[in-house]
């Protein structure tokens, strides 16, 4: 009997599905979770801490300390800048502005003295010569000061450099005019007119430009010193509001009226804020007064004095030129120097009227009123001298201009002396009020910083006492 063939045993693993063969690159492992930034973790910690009362107290203490310190720091910063600007007004920009005006005045007066000495011919008086030399030395010294305080590359530095170049050229022309005049040569008058042209067309405009630039610097210092420190005031009010809220919260949660630390912090903040507001208000009042009753009057008086100097110079040069220089206006021909004299006298009259309106009290107005009286007499005497000159009596006209009795020279000297006295008075008034304004800010920057630190420490101490109750 035949048996059916038996099946051989299946090999191990037969009937079991084999794993699929891997193809391509292996599957990447999952990336670890991205760590949050330190800021995000800090915010999360604060949020978590704020869910408990100690945590909330710590946050409140930190916020109060930051606000108070910021108030003290901003106050110190802003008041330091304003105090420095006020000090510049008093000790730098205003003196430099007056110095620039003195440069202009000295140059104009030197030109006047030179023409007066020329008219005297070979009999030039020692006083006239000394006045000329003094004016030249004053202008040179003031130029040195202006150069030392000019910023490199600034317009002021350019004006000073130009004047330093032109001054020796002008002196050389005047000396040549004197030499030829003493020898009786008419060419001396031509040299003097050329020197006058250099003075009027180059030197005085440069000096006026310097004066304008220094006045602009003075105005800039005033604008830096007088604005209210609104940022500091706003931070002070915000810090006080935060302290008041913290104390109200403390009262509602503990039924305790006072927290000594928070009260001390509030008191220090109130003192700082009051000091800031009152101190700056007083400083602003003093500085505004120094400008309204000092700088404005000084500017007007400087302009009036310069107008009188230019008028005197043109009056002298009209006799030096003897009609050689003319100008045509509106179809009519005038002696150039007489025409300029009339313009200068008009400017002088206008300046004196304005100075009288700005003057404070009798002490300020008295020299200005006296100068107005001198100017009126000057105009009358000048009219007589011009009549003599137009009638051909040159010597009579000369006597009425540079003579020793009833001459226009006396009137000019009186006007100049009275304006000098008025300037001295207004200079004193300026210094008094500007000093008051600057002193009102003295100690405020350091005091605000110290009080701010003390107030922040008080706030932290008050919060710390409250925290100690949870330990």
């Amino acid at each position: 009997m035949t048996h059916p063939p038996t099946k051989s045993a299946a090999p191990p693993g037969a009937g079991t599905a084999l794993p699929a063969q891997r193809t391509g690159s292996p599957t990447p492992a999952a990336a670890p979770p991205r760590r949050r930034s330190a800021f995000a973790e800090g915010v999360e910690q604060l949020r978590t801490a704020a869910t408990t009362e100690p945590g909330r107290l710590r946050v409140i203490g930190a916020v109060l300390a930051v606000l108070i310190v910021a108030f003290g720091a901003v106050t110190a910063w802003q008041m330091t800048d304003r105090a420095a600007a006020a000090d510049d007004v008093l000790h730098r920009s205003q003196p430099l502005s007056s110095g620039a005006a003195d440069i202009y005045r000295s140059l104009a007066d030197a030109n006047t003295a030179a023409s007066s000495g020329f008219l005297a011919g070979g009999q030039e008086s020692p006083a006239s010569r000394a006045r000329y030399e003094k004016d030249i030395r004053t202008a040179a010294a003031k130029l040195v000061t202006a150069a030392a305080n000019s910023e490199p590359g600034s317009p002021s530095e350019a004006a000073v450099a130009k004047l330093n170049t032109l001054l020796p050229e002008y002196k050389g022309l005047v000396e040549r005019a004197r030499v030829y005049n003493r020898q009786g040569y008419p060419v001396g008058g031509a040299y003097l007119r050329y020197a006058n042209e250099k003075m009027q067309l180059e030197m005085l405009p440069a000096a006026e430009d310097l004066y304008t630039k220094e006045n602009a610097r003075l105005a800039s210092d005033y604008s830096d010193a007088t604005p209210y420190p609104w940022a500091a005031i706003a931070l002070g009010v915000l810090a006080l509001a935060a302290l008041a809220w913290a104390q109200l919260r403390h009262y509602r949660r503990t039924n305790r009226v006072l927290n000594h630390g928070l009260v001390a912090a509030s008191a220090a903040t109130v003192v700082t804020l009051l000091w800031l507001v009152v101190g700056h208000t007083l400083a602003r009042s003093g500085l505004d007064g120094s400008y309204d009753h000092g700088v404005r009057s000084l500017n007007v008086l400087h302009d009036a004095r310069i107008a009188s100097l230019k008028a005197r110079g043109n009056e002298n040069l009209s006799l030096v030129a003897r009609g050689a220089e003319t100008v045509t206006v509106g179809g009519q021909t005038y002696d150039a120097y007489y025409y300029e004299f009339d313009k200068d006298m008009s400017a002088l009259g206008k300046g004196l009227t304005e100075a009288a309106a700005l003057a404070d009290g009798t002490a300020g107005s008295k020299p200005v009123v006296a100068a107005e009286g001198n100017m009126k007499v000057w105009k009358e005497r000048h009219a007589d001298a011009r009549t003599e000159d137009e009638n051909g009596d040159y010597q009579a006209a000369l006597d009425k201009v540079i003579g020793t009795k009833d001459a226009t020279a006396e009137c000019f000297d009186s006007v100049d002396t009275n304006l000098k006295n008025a300037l001295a008075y207004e200079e004193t008034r300026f210094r008094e009020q500007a000093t008051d304004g600057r002193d009102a800010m003295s100690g405020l920057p350091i005091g605000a910083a110290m009080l701010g630190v003390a107030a922040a420490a008080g706030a932290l101490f008050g919060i710390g006492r409250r925290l100690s109750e949870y330990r």
Side-chain angles (χ1 to χ4, degrees):
M1 183 174 124
T2 304
H3 295 280
T6 59
K7 295 181 179 178
S8 59
T16 304
L18 296 175
Q21 186 176 2
R22 294 181 179 179
T23 60
S25 60
T27 303
R34 185 176 179 181
R35 184 175 179 179
R36 292 181 299 172
S37 65
F39 176 77
E41 290 182 356
V43 171
E44 182 62 29
Q45 290 175 1
L46 286 175
R47 186 182 295 113
T48 303
T51 59
T52 65
E53 180 62 12
R56 284 192 287 269
L57 287 173
R58 291 188 181 93
V59 172
I60 291 171
V63 171
L64 289 176
V66 168
L67 280 175
I68 294 170
V69 169
F71 169 50
V74 172
T75 298
W77 164 54
Q78 290 195 308
M79 296 314 297
T80 297
D81 287 348
R82 283 158 176 76
D87 191 70
D88 284 343
V89 165
L90 181 60
H91 291 126
R92 183 179 173 86
S93 51
Q94 196 283 326
L96 287 175
S97 175
S98 290
D102 286 340
I103 291 173
Y104 194 113
R105 187 206 63 79
S106 297
L107 292 174
D109 193 51
N111 200 44
T112 298
S115 60
S116 297
F118 186 91
L119 286 174
Q123 306 300 320
E124 180 182 6
S125 67
S128 176
R129 178 73 177 183
R131 181 170 182 167
Y132 168 82
E133 294 294 346
K134 180 182 178 181
D135 287 331
I136 293 296
R137 288 195 302 270
T138 299
K142 295 288 184 180
L143 284 172
V144 171
T145 303
N149 289 277
S150 298
E151 297 180 1
S154 66
S156 295
E157 184 186 46
V160 171
K162 182 177 181 179
L163 286 169
N164 277 325
T165 301
L166 292 173
L167 187 58
E169 295 178 7
Y170 172 80
K171 288 179 62 179
L173 291 171
V174 171
E175 291 306 318
R176 285 190 180 186
R178 280 185 171 138
V179 169
Y180 286 122
N181 188 46
R182 283 196 296 267
Q183 295 175 356
Y185 295 144
V187 72
Y191 272 107
L192 187 64
R193 291 195 299 273
Y194 185 32
N196 178 69
E197 287 182 6
K198 185 172 288 292
M199 177 65 73
Q200 299 291 343
L201 300 181
E202 298 182 64
M203 298 178 70
L204 291 183
E208 184 177 7
D209 183 57
L210 178 63
Y211 179 52
T212 301
K213 296 296 188 300
E214 295 301 343
N215 270 345
R217 184 192 299 196
L218 175 60
S220 176
D221 285 339
Y222 267 109
S223 67
D224 290 339
T226 54
Y228 274 104
W230 293 116
I233 292 173
L235 278 172
V237 172
L238 183 60
L240 274 179
L243 285 165
W245 173 82
Q247 290 175 89
L248 179 62
R249 182 181 185 277
H250 172 77
Y251 170 72
R252 287 176 174 174
R253 289 178 180 270
T254 65
N255 206 30
R256 298 171 188 168
V257 177
L258 297 177
N259 178 295
H260 294 157
L262 294 179
V263 169
S266 300
T269 304
V270 168
V271 169
T272 305
L273 187 59
L274 287 176
W275 189 4
L276 171 64
V277 174
V278 175
H280 188 270
T281 300
L282 292 174
R284 182 187 176 99
S285 176
L287 290 171
D288 286 345
S290 72
Y291 183 83
D292 293 335
H293 304 290
V295 173
R296 288 180 61 195
S297 294
L298 286 171
N299 288 341
V300 171
L301 289 169
H302 279 307
D303 291 341
R305 197 177 186 192
I306 288 168
S308 71
L309 288 165
K310 291 171 71 175
R312 179 59 179 171
N314 284 314
E315 184 178 45
N316 289 341
L317 287 167
S318 66
L319 296 178
V320 172
R322 298 192 181 189
E325 301 288 340
T326 60
V327 60
T328 302
V329 179
Q332 294 187 349
T333 301
Y334 302 93
D335 181 289
Y337 297 110
Y338 280 147
Y339 180 78
E340 292 298 324
F341 172 86
D342 291 337
K343 286 174 58 179
D344 295 331
M345 292 299 282
S346 177
L348 173 60
K350 181 179 178 181
L352 291 175
T353 300
E354 189 173 353
L358 291 172
D360 292 326
T362 304
S365 61
K366 184 177 179 180
V368 178
V369 173
E372 287 182 308
N374 300 144
M375 182 193 68
K376 291 177 181 178
V377 177
W378 183 2
K379 292 172 72 174
E380 293 171 359
R381 293 182 182 180
H382 173 79
D384 292 340
R386 183 183 296 190
T387 299
E388 298 288 357
D389 186 31
E390 291 173 349
N391 290 336
D393 194 343
Y394 177 79
Q395 187 59 47
L398 189 62
D399 291 340
K400 290 181 181 295
V401 171
I402 64 169
T404 57
K405 183 180 180 181
D406 296 335
T408 59
E410 295 177 358
C411 301
F412 163 71
D413 289 338
S414 297
V415 168
D416 192 65
T417 299
N418 282 311
L419 287 175
K420 182 178 179 181
N421 293 337
L423 282 165
Y425 174 81
E426 296 298 341
E427 186 79 25
T428 301
R429 290 280 295 163
F430 161 79
R431 288 192 171 278
E432 289 174 352
Q433 297 190 62
T435 300
D436 290 342
R438 183 204 58 182
D439 291 348
M441 291 187 277
S442 296
L444 182 52
I446 295 176
M450 294 177 64
L451 285 171
V453 171
L460 291 176
F461 174 77
I463 295 297
R465 290 296 298 270
R466 181 79 177 89
L467 279 170
S468 66
E469 299 174 2
Y470 290 88
R471 293 171 187 161

